[in-house]
Amino acid sequence: MTQATLNLRIDAKLKADFLEAAKAMDRNGSQLIRDFMRETVQRQHDAWFREQVKAGIIQADRGDVLSGESVEAAAAAWREQAEKKMAGE
């Protein structure tokens, strides 16, 4: 994993209080900030995923869905192309 540095300016008292809180949790500030960043990214992904599911449900409720037959036909065509490609055609 490639590492990068993030520099930011914060209030000196906030920094001191944060580092004290981190120490009380037997962690260091960098560990807590990395944890917060990971959690933020995960929350954002989860929100995006929930929105996608909601949009899919709305679409399905409208009846805007593919039939099983059309999905199977597309999959069969894809498999045929893949087999030809693997055979070197």
Side-chain angles (χ1 to χ4, degrees):
M1 168 173 60
T2 303
Q3 299 215 349
T5 300
L6 175 67
N7 294 312
L8 62 137
R9 294 190 182 279
I10 57 172
D11 178 77
K13 175 141 177 43
L14 175 60
K15 178 183 176 186
D17 291 347
F18 176 73
L19 293 177
E20 184 178 321
K23 186 175 182 180
M25 297 168 67
D26 197 28
R27 306 292 302 272
N28 66 49
S30 294
Q31 290 170 319
L32 290 181
I33 290 170
R34 283 191 295 272
D35 289 348
F36 172 76
M37 291 173 78
R38 284 186 200 100
E39 290 167 8
T40 300
V41 169
Q42 185 63 50
R43 277 193 307 273
Q44 179 61 33
H45 176 267
D46 291 350
W48 170 85
F49 185 78
R50 283 190 299 277
E51 190 59 35
Q52 294 298 304
V53 169
K54 183 179 174 183
I57 291 169
I58 290 168
Q59 185 177 351
D61 287 347
R62 283 193 318 253
D64 187 10
V65 295
L66 298 173
S67 69
E69 294 82 16
S70 67
V71 171
E72 187 52 45
W78 178 85
R79 283 191 299 271
E80 184 179 330
Q81 277 185 324
E83 288 171 1
K84 285 181 182 178
K85 190 174 185 179
M86 301 252 323
E89 293 180 10

